[in-house]
Amino acid sequence: MHGNPMPDSYVYVTEEGVTRHYADGSVEALAWEDVVEVRVVAETGEDVNFILLDRDGEGCVVPRSATDATFLARLRYLPDFDLDRLHVAADSARDGVVVVWRSPDPPSALPDLEYD
């Protein structure tokens, strides 16, 4: 077989939301209107991930390597979203989680999530 190996996931960004399809057939999806928090997550030797969460702590993991101008432009529609803060957090990411945006009307608490 020739060519590039099949990627482990695909990320689709639309006006309605973000969807990530994994090679195993599983899917994560989140509508923009449901996003209440954006996190930057980093682990040594791994790609930086952007985590979009809803009120129940469910969400969509978007690898930085899968982001494009459409994804970044759409984030700017979130109230008072600061792209510079996102870039600084991603560029200086070390092991851990940084919350870069919360909805002006967030839920009382979002769970601390474990990331694979």
Side-chain angles (χ1 to χ4, degrees):
M1 181 178 242
H2 298 287
N4 295 329
M6 183 75 135
D8 66 349
S9 68
Y10 294 95
V11 176
Y12 296 100
V13 178
T14 67
E15 288 295 315
E16 289 78 35
V18 177
T19 304
R20 182 174 179 185
H21 296 266
Y22 291 87
D24 67 3
S26 61
V27 176
E28 294 175 343
L30 188 60
W32 289 114
E33 66 188 27
D34 295 333
V35 176
V36 297
E37 188 169 287
V38 177
R39 299 177 180 182
V40 174
V41 179
E43 294 180 26
T44 303
E46 299 292 324
D47 193 8
V48 171
N49 291 308
F50 302 123
I51 312 295
L52 309 177
L53 296 171
D54 68 10
R55 292 186 177 284
D56 298 323
E58 299 292 322
C60 188
V61 177
V62 180
R64 184 179 189 185
S65 61
T67 62
D68 60 11
T70 303
F71 176 75
L72 296 174
R74 190 57 192 89
L75 285 175
R76 293 180 63 182
Y77 285 99
L78 298 172
D80 298 319
F81 191 87
D82 186 343
L83 273 179
D84 290 333
R85 182 175 177 168
L86 177 78
H87 290 302
V88 167
D91 290 342
S92 62
R94 300 199 186 346
D95 286 346
V97 178
V98 176
V99 175
V100 294
W101 179 83
R102 278 201 177 111
S103 168
D105 183 30
S108 57
L110 286 173
D112 290 327
L113 304 173
E114 294 291 323
Y115 301 101
D116 297 329

